[in-house]
Amino acid sequence: MSSYAFDLSKNQHVAMRRLMAEIYNKFWTAIRHDQFSAAHNYAGMASALVRVCLVVLNDFELYEMCNLLSDVLYVQLDYHEWHKAA
């Protein structure tokens, strides 16, 4: 598995790290309150960041980190929706 890290000397990385942390926090707050619609919106925001990193910023490391976050949020959302329905 590849390892990626934020380059904190780059303003784009600092800003993206803040956005990712905010999305992650709000996603889990929504999950804890069984607000799956809101959680889905936050997972969609993470997915949008993936495209921004690739198309707008042209930064492959940020793309990989945002893609991992997006994948994790969607998997967790599916799991919690399934668990709640069971």
Side-chain angles (χ1 to χ4, degrees), residues 2-81:
S2 297
S3 175
Y4 298 95
F6 291 101
D7 181 355
L8 299 179
S9 66
K10 295 181 181 177
N11 289 337
Q12 292 175 341
H13 283 234
V14 173
M16 189 62 69
R17 181 179 178 198
R18 183 185 52 78
L19 284 172
M20 290 171 68
E22 186 176 337
I23 289 170
Y24 180 83
N25 182 39
K26 289 183 178 185
F27 173 85
W28 284 107
T29 299
I31 290 290
R32 278 193 301 274
H33 292 94
D34 293 331
Q35 297 173 342
F36 297 117
S37 179
H40 190 276
N41 289 340
Y42 292 121
M45 288 179 193
S47 180
L49 289 181
V50 172
R51 291 186 291 281
V52 168
C53 292
L54 191 60
V55 176
V56 177
L57 301 177
N58 196 24
D59 189 323
F60 188 73
E61 284 188 335
L62 281 180
Y63 162 78
E64 285 291 328
M65 289 185 280
C66 287
N67 193 39
L68 289 171
L69 175 65
S70 177
D71 289 348
V72 166
L73 295 186
Y74 276 113
V75 168
Q76 287 296 319
L77 180 60
D78 287 344
Y79 169 76
H80 285 281
E81 285 178 330

